[in-house]
Amino acid sequence: MNKRVTVIGSLFFLFANQSYAVEGQLHGLVEISAHDRSEQKSWTAGGWGMSRFGTQSKVLNISRGVLEGRVDLSSAWSGHAVAQYVPDQNDKLGFTEAYVNYQPLSKRYQFRSRIGAFYPRMSLENPSLGWSSPYTYQYSAINAWIGEEVRTFGAEFEIKRPARRFRSKYDISFLGALYKGNDPAGTLVAWRGFTPHDRQSVINERVQFAPLYALMAPQLAHQGQYVEPFSEVDGRFGYYLGTHIGYLKKHTLRLYWYDNNGDPSVLNRNTQQYAWDTKFWSLAWRSKLSKQTQVIMQAMVGNTAMGARRGVDNDFNSWFVMLSHTWQNYRVSGRLEQSKVIDKDFWEFDPNNSDTQAVTFNIRKQLSKQWQLGVEWQYLDTRAEFRPPVGRDAQQQETLYRATAKYQF
């Protein structure tokens, strides 16, 4: 059993036994999708396709299932957990988040802390149940990568100055966290590149990628053909700092600095995972142009490295702009994005340069409180220098059509 989840469960049990009246909520969703498939085997199955659904995928499947629970343990303490079913590659079922939340009542400044496993709140694209998006089925490459390789296993603290309590136009929050267990984050950036999709890794999952020529070299002989993104390798603590600023509930900004403080020379030979030294800035912005229309933007810039003498050393950047409009029971959203990985190391046998460009268009209709139908089109154009060494074209285009029925309770 997952040790981290066992610890969180023990905390739930401890606080529940100290409370005389425990109340809770349980919500969930199921998405059933029909889609055309890429002509290549997807990276989720260890292939070279960059979209989630490849030759190995079924045309009709349950693309996602979520259960999200909250238990109110007292006026200040609550427990939260999110379990997800992911059909690819081997029908994964597990937790994506599990933590206790402490938020005491206050008259002026608000204090909040979270302890356990959870997402850092960098994204303005993924505010819905189970860290999903109300705009598109497939997330931007930035937030797809956060869903794959970035998770906090530790404690986060937040102090907030609410606008209404200070007769101000601005809500302002400052956040900080200490964590462990996110050492391999950066592996997919270097050896697969950025790609938009909606697959979230569950805690303690192993994620495959295509068989690279570089991993046959003696320098990388001990690295597995996969990543275990939430494993601890070097024993160090990582941290992040952030600020949230809101103006009249119309404009929102989130700025984060993330540093997993990895020692790139450390290797766990049992798991075949290195600690990657990964750090980045993330800036997200949402502006409500009217009651029906909003624009969301996010940019990320950083660096990731692994191996003795930083044999793999890459800068990376990614950005997207999305416009979303609602009328009656419809929502239409469009997103344009680009991501790059820039190889700056001296290992010529391991080229990591990649460039991803994507356009996504989504329209959905709310049929009832529980049911929603939608269709999505995505065009994906990627160039990756690690493909030619295995006899594949560096340039690759993929188009994905997807129809999804969602039931939520």
Side-chain angles (χ1 to χ4, degrees), residues 16-43:
N17 277 274
Q18 292 179 352
S19 176
Y20 294 100
V22 177
E23 298 181 355
Q25 298 179 1
L26 182 66
H27 300 284
L29 67 84
V30 176
E31 290 182 351
I32 301 173
S33 296
H35 52 81
D36 64 340
R37 299 177 296 181
S38 168
E39 296 179 355
Q40 301 193 56
K41 189 176 181 181
S42 172
W43 61 269

Side-chain angles (χ1 to χ4, degrees), residues 326-359:
T326 59
W327 85 98
Q328 298 179 358
N329 295 322
Y330 292 89
R331 178 187 288 275
V332 177
S333 303
R335 187 181 64 230
L336 178 67
E337 60 186 302
Q338 183 174 39
S339 308
K340 288 187 177 183
V341 179
I342 301 99
D343 192 336
K344 51 183 289 188
D345 58 63
F346 56 89
W347 279 359
E348 295 183 1
F349 65 87
D350 179 34
N352 305 126
N353 288 312
S354 65
D355 190 338
T356 301
Q357 301 177 67
V359 180

Side-chain angles (χ1 to χ4, degrees), residues 179-199:
Y179 60 88
K180 281 192 172 184
N182 207 182
D183 288 338
T187 304
L188 291 177
V189 169
W191 290 334
R192 186 213 54 199
F194 285 95
T195 187
H197 62 81
D198 64 338
R199 191 186 192 283

Side-chain angles (χ1 to χ4, degrees), residues 119 122-126 131 138-150 189 192-197 199 280-284 296-301 316-321 335-340 356 358:
Y119 283 106
M122 301 175 184
S123 174
L124 290 169
E125 184 186 24
N126 299 69
W131 203 76
Q138 301 186 99
Y139 319 144
S140 65
I142 290 178
N143 291 308
W145 176 61
I146 290 176
E148 292 171 323
E149 287 200 303
V150 177
V189 169
R192 186 213 54 199
F194 285 95
T195 187
H197 62 81
R199 191 186 192 283
F280 59 83
W281 287 99
S282 173
L283 176 65
I296 299 175
M297 299 178 282
Q298 189 171 354
M300 177 182 288
V301 59
F316 60 86
N317 62 75
S318 183
W319 61 265
F320 76 83
V321 177
R335 187 181 64 230
L336 178 67
E337 60 186 302
Q338 183 174 39
S339 308
K340 288 187 177 183
T356 301

